[in-house]
């Protein structure tokens, strides 16, 4: 589970502007999207950018909590 949490943190870090702020996602943000990542993106969990892209592709199917995380990061 630790490797998955790290992958999700990186996947939820959208762009260089957020990276510049040294923001890696709060535990609440990670928790909000962990179920969606497992459900929709299980096959790509080892590839951080693929998880982010996968979640974006499934945006219309994400839980409201995970959708709010993406919106809060301008995605």
């Amino acid at each position: 589970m630790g490797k998955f949490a790290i992958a999700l943190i990186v996947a939820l870090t959208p762009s260089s502007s957020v990276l510049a702020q040294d923001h890696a996602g709060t535990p609440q943000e990670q928790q909000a999207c962990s179920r969606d990542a497992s459900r929709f993106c299980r096959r790509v969990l080892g590839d951080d950018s693929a998880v982010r892209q996968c979640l974006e592709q499934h945006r219309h199917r994400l839980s409201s909590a995970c959708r709010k995380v993406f919106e809060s990061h301008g995605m």
Side-chain angles (χ1 to χ4, degrees):
M1 187 68 167
K3 185 175 180 178
F4 171 73
I6 292 170
L8 188 57
I9 290 169
V10 174
L12 292 177
T13 305
S15 67
S16 60
S17 64
V18 173
L19 289 173
Q21 297 171 15
D22 197 33
H23 179 77
T26 67
Q28 293 81 9
E29 290 172 335
Q30 295 168 40
Q31 185 176 20
C33 291
S34 64
R35 184 176 225 167
D36 292 315
S38 292
R39 182 175 176 202
F40 301 119
C41 310
R42 181 175 299 275
R43 292 176 44 195
V44 296
L45 285 179
D47 183 341
D48 301 335
S49 63
V51 172
R52 183 182 49 79
Q53 290 175 344
C54 173
L55 288 172
E56 288 178 8
Q57 290 172 349
H58 290 93
R59 180 184 291 260
H60 65 282
R61 298 174 68 193
L62 297 178
S63 65
S64 61
C66 187
R67 205 172 315 123
K68 287 178 184 178
V69 170
F70 275 83
E71 290 168 1
S72 74
H73 288 282
M75 299 171 67

